[in-house]
Amino acid sequence: MAVGRLSAAAFNLYKEIIREKAIAGSCKWLIFIIKSGTTMEHLFFKDWESLYHIALCALVSYLALFLFIRISGKRTLAKLNAFDFVVSVTLGSTLSSMILMKVTVSEGSVALIVIIFLQYLLAFMAKKSKTMEKAINSTPSLLFYNGVFMEDAMKRELITEEEIYAEIRQYRIERIEDVRAVVMELNGEMTVVKKSETLSKWTSLDDIDLKKS
């Protein structure tokens, strides 16, 4: 009898624990559903005040970036090398942070000024020093020249023959014999140079070391 009572008590205790866990689980699901509903509602619309602030920040941030670019000149908009690409991405990221109010307009403006100043400083140093120019801009890579694929340069730049053919087609060139060279420029883009009918003392390939390629 004692064993039977003990088993019944244990069974009742087990049922009570299961019931409490079920209630706790139901409460958790209810809380999750309520929170999810609130989150989904805020996903599409929060309030008019936040929209007003974002619109105002977007206007001020856009005008600030436009002003800084006008002051710094066309070089800020150029995409001539890897650093120009970094500047473009950083400017966009900073502008986005300003619009979404992750930083204040004054903080974002300071960041924009620093980024533009660094680009101007490096461009100035590259202009004054050949060593700095090579360190900042690297050098163009000759991928194809007079019907020959430059295998070493292609391996170094991770370029395939199919990609070179595709770039040649972009220039609406059918005959490979009409192509003098394919060059990977400082900004990562490929340029196709057509053969000229007349010989010239200076060409656009003079800054490329053909032996190194």
Side-chain angles (χ1 to χ4, degrees), residues 35-47 50-51:
K35 287 184 177 180
S36 298
T38 304
T39 304
M40 289 297 294
E41 181 182 354
H42 288 172
L43 178 64
F44 296 101
F45 180 80
K46 186 177 181 181
D47 53 60
S50 61
L51 292 180

Side-chain angles (χ1 to χ4, degrees), residues 25-154:
S26 300
C27 292
K28 288 182 180 179
W29 273 106
L30 182 60
I31 294 173
F32 174 76
I33 292 173
I34 294 174
K35 287 184 177 180
S36 298
T38 304
T39 304
M40 289 297 294
E41 181 182 354
H42 288 172
L43 178 64
F44 296 101
F45 180 80
K46 186 177 181 181
D47 53 60
W48 288 105
E49 184 178 358
S50 61
L51 292 180
Y52 167 76
H53 283 300
I54 289 178
L56 181 61
C57 287
L59 176 62
V60 175
S61 302
Y62 176 81
L63 292 177
L65 180 60
F66 178 79
L67 177 63
F68 295 150
I69 289 177
R70 287 292 295 169
I71 293 174
S72 61
K74 299 182 181 67
R75 186 64 176 81
T76 307
L77 299 176
K79 295 181 180 179
L80 303 179
N81 52 43
F83 186 73
D84 290 335
F85 173 76
V86 173
V87 168
S88 299
V89 173
T90 309
L91 288 177
S93 177
T94 304
L95 183 63
S96 174
S97 298
M98 293 169 65
I99 293 175
L100 297 178
M101 297 180 293
K102 294 181 180 179
V103 297
T104 63
V105 174
S106 58
E107 292 171 343
S109 298
V110 171
L112 293 176
I113 293 173
V114 171
I115 294 168
I116 293 174
F117 174 75
L118 285 176
Q119 186 192 33
Y120 178 82
L121 178 62
L122 289 180
F124 178 79
M125 294 171 64
K127 177 69 175 176
K128 293 296 182 180
S129 170
K130 286 292 183 182
T131 303
M132 284 300 301
E133 181 182 6
K134 290 183 179 180
I136 296 172
N137 294 335
S138 184
T139 56
S141 298
L142 188 64
L143 305 176
F144 178 88
Y145 186 71
N146 280 341
V148 179
F149 289 97
M150 302 299 175
E151 298 292 343
D152 292 340
M154 291 170 61

Side-chain angles (χ1 to χ4, degrees), residues 141-150 161 163-184 190-197 204-205:
S141 298
L142 188 64
L143 305 176
F144 178 88
Y145 186 71
N146 280 341
V148 179
F149 289 97
M150 302 299 175
E161 292 185 7
E163 290 172 325
I164 294 177
Y165 282 129
E167 193 65 29
I168 293 174
R169 289 193 294 270
Q170 290 287 336
Y171 281 75
R172 305 294 190 270
I173 299 176
E174 179 184 3
R175 290 161 42 90
I176 300 299
E177 293 83 359
D178 295 335
V179 177
R180 173 72 68 188
V182 178
V183 181
M184 175 165 278
M190 284 190 284
T191 300
V192 178
V193 181
K194 295 181 64 176
K195 288 183 178 179
S196 177
E197 296 180 357
S204 60
L205 302 176

